[in-house]
Amino acid sequence: SATVEAGASVVGALAGVSANAQGGGNVTITNNGTVTDPTGNGINTGTGTGSTGTSYAPGTGTILIGNTGTITALGVSNSAVVQINNFSTSAATFNNSGTVTANLLSSGLSVAISVYGGSPSTTTGGIIINNNAGGTISGNVALWPSTTFLVANSTFNNASGAIWNVDGTNGFGSATSAINNSGLINIAGDSGF
């Protein structure tokens, strides 16, 4: 677990905050301060594979990220502002009541939040994004599978009083994933979901 206290400021080179649980453990990150990374991830987190002895067997650990502060990073496709590497069958959860900003938002290539499941060929857990009242996420989300793994259902809940600014491509893990919007989604440029 890692906690950035209110009033604290963290500036990183590769990641502002990096917390991982190898062997399938649990990760909890709480940001109440300011996390900045000019070239890498603001937050980089993940669970390791399970300890069953089977190569790349998904674990069962959970990832929980809470943000009431500010997270800012470049937000390129291979280095999202919040990068979640979920090797678990459990869904990861990102609760936001603060500000998440991809500095490349106006380029159409920005990624605020992405999930990566790595090498397991079985379905790994999706992600639940709760953008709560007062929360602002500026950047696209990349929650789709690659050629080597499958991502379970993902959900983006944009609550009343929350803002999601997008400019570019947004993707989810499966056909049954959902965007539940009661807030405001500002769409710019050539955007798609």
Side-chain angles (χ1 to χ4, degrees):
S1 65
T3 300
V4 178
E5 299 289 352
S9 179
V10 176
V11 179
L14 295 176
V17 174
S18 183
N20 291 274
Q22 301 306 318
N26 301 323
V27 178
T28 300
I29 298 174
T30 303
N31 177 48
N32 299 315
T34 301
V35 176
T36 305
D37 194 302
T39 59
N41 306 114
I43 291 179
N44 185 313
T45 186
T47 58
T49 57
S51 56
T52 62
T54 304
S55 179
Y56 298 118
T60 57
T62 59
I63 297 172
L64 175 61
I65 303 169
N67 178 50
T68 61
T70 301
I71 308 168
T72 305
L74 193 59
V76 293
S77 61
N78 61 347
S79 194
V81 178
V82 177
Q83 174 69 49
I84 299 172
N85 303 302
N86 192 9
F87 287 83
S88 173
T89 56
S90 301
T93 302
F94 179 71
N95 294 317
N96 181 57
S97 297
T99 303
V100 177
T101 303
N103 286 334
L104 288 178
L105 175 64
S106 62
S107 72
L109 302 173
S110 72
V111 180
I113 303 169
S114 69
V115 65
Y116 177 68
S119 300
S121 58
T122 57
T123 300
T124 57
I127 181 171
I128 299 167
I129 299 171
N130 296 310
N131 195 26
N132 300 313
T136 300
I137 296 175
S138 296
N140 304 311
V141 297
L143 310 179
W144 54 71
S146 75
T147 57
T148 59
F149 75 101
L150 303 172
V151 177
N153 297 343
S154 293
T155 303
F156 193 113
N157 297 310
N158 200 47
S160 177
I163 299 170
W164 180 23
N165 299 309
V166 300
D167 186 352
T169 303
N170 296 271
F172 293 84
S174 73
T176 55
S177 293
I179 298 172
N180 300 313
N181 183 45
S182 296
L184 181 64
I185 301 176
N186 293 314
I187 302 172
D190 186 10
S191 296
F193 298 86

